[in-house]
Every structure is written in structure tokens, then in C-alpha cells.
Amino acid sequence: QVQLVESGGGLVQPGGSLRLSCAASSSSFGIDTMGWYRQAPGKQRELVATITSGGDINYRDSVKGRFSISRDNAKNMVYLQMSTLKPEDTAVYYCYLRRWPNTYWGQGTQVTVSS
């Protein structure tokens, strides 16, 4: 089974930047989608950004222009560069991999945006 491990979370001031990384244990992804979800206290988990093995990218509207997702297929890594962070970005961020017919989740990394 594929394992996903996130890193890079932490406390950052509003307007600051943070880069999240996710390492996948699989060395051969095939056709897949990787991305990031987040869940704030008392709220449902929501999609943040996705990137396919072919490089197609989608963002939720609230992060467009501020977040950038990328992947390194050779290293089995996916990244989320977050800038101009807002308090409403505070959440646990989860890496995910969807490779038919399975979906895999990381353990989550806390991002707190506060002054």
C-alpha cells in the first residue's frame, strides 16, 4: 500500500508563505492525480489543489493566485507553495494520491496562520 508523508507545516503570520511537501512511497505512479485537501476545526475536509500525472492543475477559488501546486515524478513528491496566507487558511493539510482504483491519504500537517 502506498504511504504519503507530509512535511512543512507550522505557524506563519498573515501575508507570509509556507511550502508543504509530500513524499510518496511508490516509485511508479502510472496515471494518477495528487493533491492537497485541508480541514479546519468544525468544518468538512475540502479540496485545495490537484495535479495530474500529465500536469493538469486545478485550484479551489479561494486559493487561486496565492497557492501553487507542483510535482516531481522522479522523486515521487508533490508540493504546495502557499503565499499571502490568510487566517482562514488555517487547517490540517492532507496530501492525497488517487490512482485507479485506489485513493491514499497522508497523516496531515498543521498550518496555522496567526499574528
Side-chain angles (χ1 to χ4, degrees):
Q1 182 171 298
V2 174
Q3 291 182 306
L4 304 174
V5 180
E6 303 100 329
S7 62
L11 176 64
V12 64
Q13 294 182 334
S17 298
L18 210 58
R19 189 193 192 208
L20 305 182
S21 300
C22 175
S25 62
S26 177
S27 61
S28 182
F29 291 127
I31 300 172
D32 64 61
T33 299
M34 299 189 73
W36 297 89
Y37 281 69
R38 67 187 183 188
Q39 187 168 23
K43 296 186 176 181
Q44 296 185 165
R45 188 176 297 187
E46 63 184 21
L47 178 69
V48 178
T50 61
I51 181 168
T52 71
S53 53
D56 294 326
I57 295 172
N58 285 286
Y59 301 98
R60 72 177 298 107
D61 287 343
S62 62
V63 308
K64 288 180 178 177
R66 300 188 299 119
F67 290 12
S68 179
I69 190 171
S70 62
R71 62 188 289 169
D72 186 334
N73 291 330
K75 296 181 178 180
N76 300 326
M77 299 282 291
V78 64
Y79 308 93
L80 185 67
Q81 178 66 51
M82 304 182 292
S83 62
T84 320
L85 283 161
K86 304 174 180 179
E88 50 262 46
D89 295 318
T90 296
V92 177
Y93 284 69
Y94 297 90
C95 179
Y96 90 98
L97 165 65
R98 186 174 181 87
R99 184 172 64 197
W100 188 90
N102 303 121
T103 300
Y104 306 94
W105 294 93
Q107 82 286 354
T109 185
Q110 177 70 47
V111 172
T112 302
V113 185
S114 177
S115 59

